[in-house]
Amino acid sequence: MHIRFIRTILFTLVMLSMSAASFAQIGISINFAPPELPVYEQPLCPGDGYLWTPGYWAYADDDYYWVPGTWVMAPEVGLLWTPAYWGWGGNGFVFYDGYWGPHVGFYGGISYGYGYFGEGYEGGRWDNGQFFYNRSVNNVSVTNIHNVYNTTVVNSTAVNRVSYNGGNGGISARPRPQEEAAAREKHIPAVAVQTQHAQAARTNPDQRASVNHGKPAVAATPKPGAFKDRAVVPAKAAGAPYTPPANRGAVQPAANTPAAHPENSAAHPEKPAQPTTGPETNRAPTAQPTTRPETNRPEPAQRSQTPPPSERSQPQRTPPPAETKRPTQERERPQPGAQKPEEKKQKDEQPKKDEKPPQ
């Protein structure tokens, strides 16, 4: 029991020590950009210790769908949320998951609002184990939450609703040194309530971009999964008019994800073996590699049993049956010399018949 408990602790520590790259996994690559971010208001913070996680466009079942922004209780004291984002991967748009960490990392330079203006987080900070909210960017009631401050945030970047980094029309931001350092820190992936929240959005047809055209009916919720709460906030407007393309079902395996590189490299050695097995199943003569030399070379073994057609056609090796019997019959005759007197007789008698009688 004690050993099992120690193993559980060690496993937890290993999971916590994983880097951001482990949680920035990309599962799919889409050949068209996600819709722009909708315009919506932030719901009231439900209580102390909740951190704002902005909404984003996810992808499944040949369509983008909106995962509402929501307030989530931090899994540990001192952790902040780095939002998910879409980025151009060279041959399509790829998705990077969000994660919890001691510092906010790179999230594509996307301006999600409410403290997430493309770099870092201006919505609050941890101090002595307690989170303090910046009222200038958060909807917080001072009646219920007293640990607040008010600092005006000047957004130097151009305000837009673009929801992806790189590519045609995307945000051109690149990770800063502090964001690269944050990527090497220990991280925690989205907690269970966040995963369930995203799954609820996926199964809701009204959240699909092809249905709401970039203006979801549920743009934000007060808590994860509270899609029918009376405090649910609908989108005021779409970031831009959105019409889903006809070929939106084109999905490719991601080629530039940290998790995909080992899988692809591991699959490469197997790929050369597949073409050889394909023809073997279709072509019977080449089904077994070992039969190839046998059909070309081991003819001597076959000659002793069944001569090939080319050898049978040669007259010196396969003479007619009459010719083969004659030598054997001549050798079997016991008196080879008896023929000579008969032949002599015939020769002697022949001239006698031709001789004229004496006159």
Side-chain angles (χ1 to χ4, degrees):
M1 186 70 179
H2 182 65
I3 297 176
R4 187 177 299 175
F5 178 72
I6 294 176
R7 287 179 179 175
T8 304
I9 294 177
L10 291 175
F11 177 77
T12 305
L13 292 175
V14 170
M15 292 298 295
L16 291 177
S17 63
M18 296 175 69
S19 64
S22 302
F23 302 110
Q25 296 177 359
I26 309 161
I28 53 178
S29 175
I30 315 302
N31 63 359
F32 63 99
E36 293 194 1
L37 300 173
V39 180
Y40 64 94
E41 296 291 339
Q42 185 187 56
L44 185 68
C45 181
D48 193 8
Y50 281 86
L51 273 65
W52 177 249
T53 60
Y56 60 93
W57 291 105
Y59 188 92
D61 306 321
D62 299 340
D63 200 359
Y64 284 103
Y65 62 94
W66 178 254
V67 179
T70 190
W71 291 95
V72 179
M73 181 70 70
E76 291 182 13
V77 174
L79 297 185
L80 299 171
W81 175 249
T82 296
Y85 74 97
W86 287 91
W88 177 251
N91 60 350
F93 293 94
V94 291
F95 183 73
Y96 295 85
D97 288 322
Y99 56 88
W100 294 94
H103 298 92
V104 176
F106 182 69
Y107 51 93
I110 313 300
S111 181
Y112 289 106
Y114 305 111
Y116 299 96
F117 300 113
E119 294 180 356
Y121 178 57
E122 301 293 341
R125 61 175 182 265
W126 288 95
D127 189 2
N128 293 324
Q130 192 171 19
F131 190 78
F132 285 76
Y133 299 86
N134 186 357
R135 289 190 61 201
S136 67
V137 295
N138 281 316
N139 186 7
V140 180
S141 172
V142 293
T143 303
N144 300 325
I145 300 175
H146 304 287
N147 43 310
V148 296
Y149 65 96
N150 198 339
T151 300
T152 303
V153 178
V154 179
N155 187 11
S156 58
T157 60
V159 178
N160 57 57
R161 314 301 300 176
V162 177
S163 61
Y164 58 92
N165 177 279
N168 186 16
I171 305 296
S172 59
R174 293 294 177 267
R176 300 173 299 165
Q178 53 267 44
E179 291 169 332
E180 292 178 348
R184 295 188 291 269
E185 297 174 335
K186 70 172 185 178
H187 298 138
I188 296 177
V191 293
V193 291
Q194 290 177 283
T195 304
Q196 296 166 3
H197 181 73
Q199 183 63 25
R202 176 179 178 176
T203 57
N204 189 336
D206 294 334
Q207 297 301 108
R208 296 187 174 277
S210 59
V211 176
N212 58 49
H213 301 286
K215 185 184 175 182
V218 181
T221 63
K223 290 183 180 180
F227 281 69
K228 296 183 179 180
D229 194 281
R230 61 181 180 178
V232 162
V233 176
K236 289 183 177 180
Y242 175 76
T243 303
N247 62 340
R248 64 180 184 271
V251 181
Q252 305 170 359
N256 57 348
T257 168
H261 277 310
E263 293 173 3
N264 291 343
S265 61
H268 285 319
E270 297 174 1
K271 287 182 181 177
Q274 291 173 359
T276 57
T277 56
E280 289 173 7
T281 54
N282 297 333
R283 300 179 183 177
T286 57
Q288 297 177 356
T290 55
T291 58
R292 292 179 182 173
E294 292 175 1
T295 54
N296 299 331
R297 294 185 181 178
E299 291 179 358
Q302 295 177 355
R303 284 178 186 171
S304 59
Q305 300 172 0
T306 312
S310 58
E311 294 182 359
R312 289 185 221 155
S313 61
Q314 296 176 3
Q316 47 185 337
R317 291 196 179 185
T318 56
E323 295 176 4
T324 56
K325 290 179 182 178
R326 282 177 185 174
T328 57
Q329 289 175 0
E330 290 175 0
R331 283 195 298 270
E332 289 174 1
R333 289 179 182 177
Q335 297 175 355
Q339 295 175 358
K340 291 181 182 178
E342 292 175 4
E343 289 175 2
K344 249 184 179 182
K345 247 181 181 181
Q346 291 175 2
K347 286 181 183 179
D348 294 341
E349 289 174 0
Q350 187 68 25
K352 286 180 182 180
K353 290 179 183 179
D354 294 337
E355 277 182 359
K356 294 180 182 182
Q359 294 179 355

